Amino acid sequence: MVWVPLRSTRTDRRAPLRAPTTCCTTMSLEWLMDWSWSLDGLRDFIATGIQSFRDCDATALAAVACLLVLFVWYCYHVGREQPRAYATVNALMQSAEANGVQNGYVYCHSPECVRCTHHDGLNQKLYHNLQEYAKRYSWSGMGRIHKGIREQGRYLNSRPSIQKPEVFFLPDLPTMPYFSRDAQKHDVELLERNFQTILCEFETLYKAFSNCSLPQGWKMNSTPSGEWFTFYLVNQGMCVPRNCRRCPRTYRLLGSLRTCIGNNVFGNACISVLSPGTVIAEHYGPTNIRIRCHLGLKTPSNCELVVGGEPQCWAEGRCLLFDDSFLHTAFHEGSPEEGPRVVFMVDLWHPNVAAAERQALDFIFAPGR
């Protein structure tokens, strides 16, 4: 039974009209065209709509369809909305390369370098990126990241001197200078199985050092003494195509690692070479969300890595995992005859960073954002 308002008089406006079965699901075109939008008519329209929903007729289905169309339009509108023009995190992450310093390990004091300048503006940009992520995806699982960004200044200023990440500190992560191999067992075992492959490609690269002081693709880093060279395949979340083509098997290996950080500015993969007599100045890494993995390729005697005051030695074909947000240094005090210390370095996710958090951090710290 559908109640349909008639146009005759006010007294009979609510007279029930039994429509044929075939017409119960439609509304008269003439009634729609002659409709007068009075208060009584609006009241009757609402009553008719409610009864239509109860009877599940075509009017109700049409209303539901309209709501669905409006919802789809809203989702499309939100999805295509362009964010405001903020300075990108990747631009801030560029270190003092323009001033002659590579890889950001020496303070450049540039206002554009996120490793060297701590200010509220950076936290605002990070919070804006988090809001953009939550609007597109979800706030679910973002509590720790939200807390970290909101109180970043307090975390970085109140941290003990043994651990002070320079850019971003994620709270409530287990803290230790070194991690066991089981922390990322799959990737550790995969790297160690491919030790000879990586070593072979390094030896091919290293032959070029006999022809010139600094071959193409290598970078020299600032050190108090000695020489420290790096050959990046991935630098701050961006692959270096020319270098990757020279180490194709090593680069393909990175794609097989389950926890390699490859989509944000905290991810790096490189070959690191210390010449005899080299000392790397003590420094902190940019964040505690990663574990730095060193696969020993050439490890002469009298070479050490010191993280949080705890010394460790590399071993050829073995991985060493550590948290580089701790104060750390490395040195090679061996003789020139022993040759350089060489490791393959790759950044892996901290095992206690959840999958949802990894996805959000990739978005917030994406290269170019």
Side-chain angles (χ1 to χ4, degrees):
M1 180 72 70
V2 178
W3 292 91
V4 181
L6 301 178
R7 298 180 56 253
S8 55
T9 62
R10 183 178 299 274
T11 58
D12 66 350
R13 188 180 294 270
R14 297 185 189 174
L17 176 63
R18 183 177 298 273
T21 304
T22 56
C23 300
C24 286
T25 59
T26 61
M27 301 179 67
S28 170
L29 179 60
E30 179 181 358
W31 175 75
L32 287 173
M33 295 176 62
D34 296 337
W35 176 263
S36 60
W37 290 97
S38 63
L39 291 178
D40 291 337
L42 181 60
R43 180 182 59 194
D44 293 336
F45 179 77
I46 294 174
T48 303
I50 293 174
Q51 186 62 36
S52 298
F53 272 104
R54 289 176 178 174
D55 294 342
C56 295
D57 64 4
T59 305
L61 295 177
V64 172
C66 289
L67 291 175
L68 288 175
V69 170
L70 288 173
F71 177 75
V72 171
W73 173 86
Y74 174 78
C75 293
Y76 171 77
H77 177 74
V78 171
R80 68 189 295 270
E81 182 180 351
Q82 296 296 324
R84 289 175 290 174
Y86 279 77
T88 66
V89 174
N90 189 57
L92 294 174
M93 284 293 292
Q94 299 304 318
S95 62
E97 195 164 307
N99 297 329
V101 180
Q102 304 287 343
N103 300 331
Y105 289 117
V106 175
Y107 294 104
C108 65
H109 305 291
S110 166
E112 297 300 319
C113 179
V114 73
R115 292 189 62 134
C116 306
T117 305
H118 306 296
H119 49 80
D120 293 337
L122 173 61
N123 291 342
Q124 293 174 2
K125 293 177 179 66
L126 296 182
Y127 190 71
H128 166 74
N129 290 347
L130 175 60
Q131 286 180 314
E132 284 293 313
Y133 173 84
K135 183 170 69 173
R136 296 187 184 188
Y137 303 101
S138 171
W139 278 103
S140 177
M142 297 299 104
R144 190 159 56 174
I145 296 178
H146 181 262
K147 178 182 177 182
I149 293 177
R150 188 181 65 245
E151 303 183 26
Q152 197 64 203
R154 180 174 67 85
Y155 285 134
L156 296 181
N157 293 330
S158 63
R159 295 296 304 169
S161 59
I162 195 173
Q163 184 192 28
K164 279 193 173 183
E166 296 182 334
V167 179
F168 179 73
F169 178 79
L170 186 64
D172 305 324
L173 283 182
T175 298
M176 61 191 77
Y178 294 96
F179 284 78
S180 71
R181 296 162 46 84
D182 291 337
Q184 298 296 2
K185 185 175 181 180
H186 172 273
D187 290 352
V188 166
E189 292 178 350
L190 185 60
L191 287 167
E192 292 179 351
R193 284 199 304 268
N194 287 272
F195 159 69
Q196 288 294 339
T197 297
I198 301 172
L199 177 62
C200 180
E201 291 193 330
F202 159 71
E203 290 176 338
T204 301
L205 289 173
Y206 198 65
K207 292 177 182 177
F209 273 86
S210 60
N211 300 324
C212 59
S213 58
L214 189 64
Q216 189 176 36
W218 289 86
K219 288 186 177 182
M220 178 178 289
N221 305 282
S222 177
T223 57
S225 63
E227 295 177 330
W228 174 24
F229 305 101
T230 48
F231 187 85
Y232 277 89
L233 303 182
V234 178
N235 187 11
Q236 294 184 358
M238 300 286 290
C239 76
V240 183
R242 185 188 298 271
N243 290 359
C244 292
R245 285 193 293 268
R246 298 174 66 183
C247 298
R249 290 179 292 176
T250 302
Y251 179 66
R252 284 196 298 270
L253 176 63
L254 292 177
S256 300
L257 301 178
R258 294 177 180 174
T259 61
C260 176
I261 301 178
N263 297 317
N264 69 55
V265 295
F266 298 131
N268 302 275
C270 72
I271 296 172
S272 175
V273 178
L274 290 186
S275 299
T278 300
V279 176
I280 298 177
E282 291 185 325
H283 61 282
Y284 303 97
T287 182
N288 67 326
I289 67 171
R290 73 186 187 189
I291 294 177
R292 179 147 284 184
C293 175
H294 281 183
L295 172 65
L297 300 182
K298 290 182 176 293
T299 57
S301 59
N302 297 314
C303 295
E304 278 191 357
L305 171 69
V306 182
V307 182
E310 299 181 20
Q312 290 277 358
C313 295
W314 297 276
E316 293 183 4
R318 301 284 288 180
C319 287
L320 182 62
L321 306 180
F322 65 98
D323 184 345
D324 73 326
S325 66
F326 282 79
L327 186 67
H328 62 285
T329 181
F331 56 86
H332 180 358
E333 294 182 339
S335 63
E337 292 75 19
E338 293 182 287
R341 182 239 59 179
V342 185
V343 298
F344 179 64
M345 183 195 80
V346 59
D347 290 321
L348 309 176
W349 284 104
H350 190 292
N352 292 90
V353 178
E357 292 175 320
R358 295 179 186 183
Q359 180 178 325
L361 291 168
D362 279 345
F363 182 91
I364 295 169
F365 292 100
R369 172 163 287 279

